[in-house]
Every structure is written in C-alpha cells, then in structure tokens.
Amino acid sequence: NENIEPDNAAIEKTKEILTEFRRQFKSNVDYIEQFLNIAKERELTKSEQNLLTSHMNIVATALEVLLMDAVYFDSYTRGHAEHVAANSIIIYDNIPEKVKEKYPPYFASYIKMAALLHDIGKNSIPIHVLNKPGALSDAEYSLMKLHGLIGAEILAETGFGFLSEDVNAHHEKYDGTGYASGISGDKISLAASIIALADSYDSMSRDRVYRQALPKREVIRDIKNNRGKQFNPAVVDAFFRAVNILSEIRDKEELNLKKKIWIAQIIQTEILNGQMSPDEIADLTVLMTKDLTFKDKDAICNMLVFKNDGGKKSDRYKRFKIGSDTYLVYGIFDGSLKYGQYRFEVLKDAIY
C-alpha cells in the first residue's frame, strides 16, 4: 500500500517563478488571453491576428531564453522540453499547407509555448521517482501519470491557463488508450498531437536513467507502427517529411544550456533595471562573424544583437548593417571574456 504524494513545495516554487515571469510580461500575456477568448466568439481581424502573433512571439521567445533554466528543476527534463519544442515546430512546418490554412498565424508560437512547458508538472514528482534507474512501482507510475494534470493546474493558477488543455493532453493517444482523459482521434488537438509525437521521439532517441537511447532504426519503426494507434496519422506523415532534419539536429551535441544562462542573466538584469523593454526580446538573435571589426575593438567578435527594423536610435548600442538589415550590438564575446560588468566564456557557436 505504497503512497507517494506530489512535492507540494516544488509546486509552489514553480508557481512563484511562473507568476513572476508573467508579471514581467503582463501586457503581452494579458493581450494573448484577451484575444484568445475573443477568438472563441468571433473570427479575429487580420490586424488582431497580427498583433496576437507578435505578442505570442515575444512570450514564446522569452520563455525559451529567460525562463527554462529557472522553471525546470531537473536538467534532463529542461533539456527534453527544449528539444520537444524545437522538434514540434519542425513537425508543424511539415504539416500540409491546406491543413495549416485552418490555423491562425500565431499557432506555431502557441505550439512552442505549450511544448516548452509541457512537462512543467514533473517538478511535482519527487526526484527519486523522476530519476529512478529501474522500473516504476504501480504507485510511482500512478503519480507520474498525474504530471500533465498537475502542470495544467499550475499554468491555470499562474496566468497561463490558455496552455492548460494541451499540456494536460500531451500523453493522449489517437486510439483513446492514453491519459489523462482517454480522448481519441480528432478530439485531441493538433498541438497536443504534435507535442505527443515530438515528446516520444525525443524520449526514445536519448539516454534515460533507466535505459540507453534506442537505435535510430528502432525509433523510426516504432513511430511508423504506431501511426493511427498512438499517433495522429497526419502528424506521423509530417514527421517523416521532416525526419532528415530532425535526425541532423539529434546527431548534433546537446543544446548549450550555459550559453542561454549567460544571455538570460544579461536580459533579466536589464529588464529589471528598466534598461530594456520586454518587447525587444522578440528581436533577439545571435550573430557570429569573422569579418567585422570596430574602431575601438579590433577583434574577431561574436555578438549578441537586436535586429533594428524599426530604425530606433539608442546610444546604448553600436549599430551596423548587413545587407539591408540594421542591427544593434548588445553584447560582444571574445578573448577578453568580458562585456561591461558581465564575464563570459568564449561562445563557439550561435544559439539561433
């Protein structure tokens, strides 16, 4: 009669982190909530859809860059969520255009947000269960199956309830044998169906505490055999159109999480100090260059920059152009290992 309870302290800590993040991006998330509710009543105008897309992009990018390292307490789960988000977008990109026409332009950013947070409920699972090297007991498995529901509840209570339904549904199966609700077929949303396949693909493809990564051939066979059973057939077809790209990504090294921590520290500090607008997050990119030098810094530079399509001027940033695009330099990473008050290791490759 083993009884294992969720870690309530971890749940409360997760809520605190998400609540603070939402406070920083309040205007963006408020707009998303408002117009997703309006969209349930009527079709949004093109202008409203474009604005909603912009706000979705800002929040999705901020989630990825600022939040992931703080909000996931287990390093494997954090990396897995990032992989699932990246794979979900690639799979969605390969859904036929006739199908995608039925979905609004902000849908890709919505999928990214839901995928990044799909396993947030695993923070509630005691670490000895989450990282158990052997088979789970019945009680442990019953608790593990609650992580989607717990994640949905966390999101609902912290102002991200618009993601709850798909987070709760990411272990549903097309034939109705999944959890938490046992829904089937088209009752499972396209977003949840994509995240479900991306989740399984990443889980099978990477080493776990209880087993090594499965061979690529076995992973492919499993997904093919579960078309129309575990997985939505249309999503499986999109997966196989994208499988070469997904395999290339899988074969590369794991995401460099330290790199994101450094960049997140800069951005978080500047937002809190009022020196940077959260809206600028959407234009964040990293450029690698070997052919640009500056009058006051004759060095081969790696630069953290903002694309400056709006033509805004600021004395805080150096400006330069590549083709017709103007950029603002925010950070320079080179052999000096220093930018202003921040210190870094050398960046070896871009994160975008």
Side-chain angles (χ1 to χ4, degrees), residues 216 239-249:
K216 179 180 176 181
F239 168 86
F240 280 107
R241 283 190 286 271
V243 69
N244 290 335
I245 298 172
L246 293 168
S247 296
E248 288 174 10
I249 293 173

Side-chain angles (χ1 to χ4, degrees), residues 61 64-65 255-264 267 284-288 303-304 347-352:
T61 304
E64 182 177 29
V65 176
L255 295 174
N256 191 330
L257 296 177
K258 283 186 177 180
K259 201 181 306 174
K260 290 193 174 183
I261 293 173
W262 300 328
I263 293 171
I267 298 169
L284 175 67
T285 187
V286 172
L287 294 184
M288 310 303 295
M303 292 173 292
L304 172 62
L347 296 184
K348 296 181 179 178
D349 47 53
I351 63 169
Y352 295 110

Side-chain angles (χ1 to χ4, degrees), residues 42-113:
R42 65 166 173 82
E43 185 176 351
L44 298 182
T45 66
K46 186 174 182 180
S47 175
E48 289 170 339
Q49 287 198 12
N50 289 339
L51 276 172
L52 184 52
T53 300
S54 176
H55 286 289
M56 282 273 195
N57 289 341
I58 290 168
V59 177
T61 304
L63 280 172
E64 182 177 29
V65 176
L66 291 178
L67 190 65
M68 296 299 287
D69 296 301
V71 80
Y72 278 103
F73 304 156
D74 172 73
S75 59
Y76 173 84
T77 307
R78 177 179 63 240
H80 167 69
E82 291 186 315
H83 303 150
V84 170
N87 292 344
S88 293
I89 295 303
I90 293 170
I91 292 170
Y92 177 67
D93 285 344
N94 283 272
I95 293 287
E97 290 299 325
K98 288 185 178 180
V99 176
K100 287 199 287 187
E101 286 174 359
K102 301 176 183 178
Y103 293 87
Y106 54 79
F107 193 62
S109 290
Y110 171 85
I111 291 174
K112 182 176 182 178
M113 292 170 66

Side-chain angles (χ1 to χ4, degrees), residues 247-348:
S247 296
E248 288 174 10
I249 293 173
R250 172 63 193 93
D251 291 340
K252 292 180 180 178
E253 292 183 353
E254 295 280 343
L255 295 174
N256 191 330
L257 296 177
K258 283 186 177 180
K259 201 181 306 174
K260 290 193 174 183
I261 293 173
W262 300 328
I263 293 171
Q265 286 173 340
I266 285 183
I267 298 169
Q268 192 84 15
T269 299
E270 295 300 315
I271 289 176
L272 292 177
N273 290 342
Q275 299 297 328
M276 183 186 294
S277 165
D279 291 354
E280 291 181 285
I281 295 293
D283 294 327
L284 175 67
T285 187
V286 172
L287 294 184
M288 310 303 295
T289 178
K290 295 183 178 179
D291 59 359
L292 290 179
T293 58
F294 294 87
K295 293 179 181 178
D296 61 338
K297 199 172 186 69
D298 186 12
I300 296 175
C301 300
N302 303 326
M303 292 173 292
L304 172 62
V305 303
F306 294 96
K307 191 171 181 180
N308 188 30
D309 288 333
K312 60 186 176 183
K313 295 183 179 180
S314 172
D315 294 334
R316 289 176 54 78
Y317 310 116
K318 295 180 181 292
R319 303 178 72 194
F320 68 98
K321 296 190 73 172
I322 296 179
S324 60
D325 294 325
T326 302
Y327 293 87
L328 303 180
V329 178
Y330 191 77
I332 298 175
F333 312 91
D334 63 14
S336 71
L337 304 183
K338 188 175 181 182
Y339 172 68
Q341 64 181 302
Y342 308 105
R343 300 189 67 84
F344 302 87
E345 296 180 21
V346 177
L347 296 184
K348 296 181 179 178

Side-chain angles (χ1 to χ4, degrees), residues 152-208:
E153 292 173 347
I154 289 172
L155 293 172
E157 293 176 24
T158 54
F160 293 93
F162 56 90
L163 301 172
S164 291
E165 183 176 347
D166 287 319
V167 166
N168 188 36
H170 76 272
H171 279 290
E172 300 290 359
K173 296 182 180 181
Y174 195 75
D175 63 5
T177 62
Y179 61 88
S181 302
I183 56 178
S184 63
D186 291 339
K187 293 181 180 178
I188 307 169
S189 74
L190 181 62
S193 297
I194 289 173
I195 293 169
L197 196 155
D199 182 21
S200 293
Y201 172 70
D202 188 71
S203 295
M204 289 188 286
S205 300
R206 299 184 187 276
D207 291 338
R208 307 295 297 273

Side-chain angles (χ1 to χ4, degrees), residues 110-164:
Y110 171 85
I111 291 174
K112 182 176 182 178
M113 292 170 66
L116 285 170
L117 295 175
H118 80 281
D119 267 349
I120 199 66
K122 283 188 176 178
N123 283 358
S124 71
I125 308 299
I127 199 69
H128 73 275
V129 176
L130 191 62
N131 291 329
K132 186 176 179 178
L136 298 180
S137 68
D138 289 345
E140 290 167 340
Y141 183 58
S142 294
L143 176 60
M144 186 70 77
K145 287 171 66 176
L146 291 176
H147 77 269
L149 176 60
I150 293 172
E153 292 173 347
I154 289 172
L155 293 172
E157 293 176 24
T158 54
F160 293 93
F162 56 90
L163 301 172
S164 291

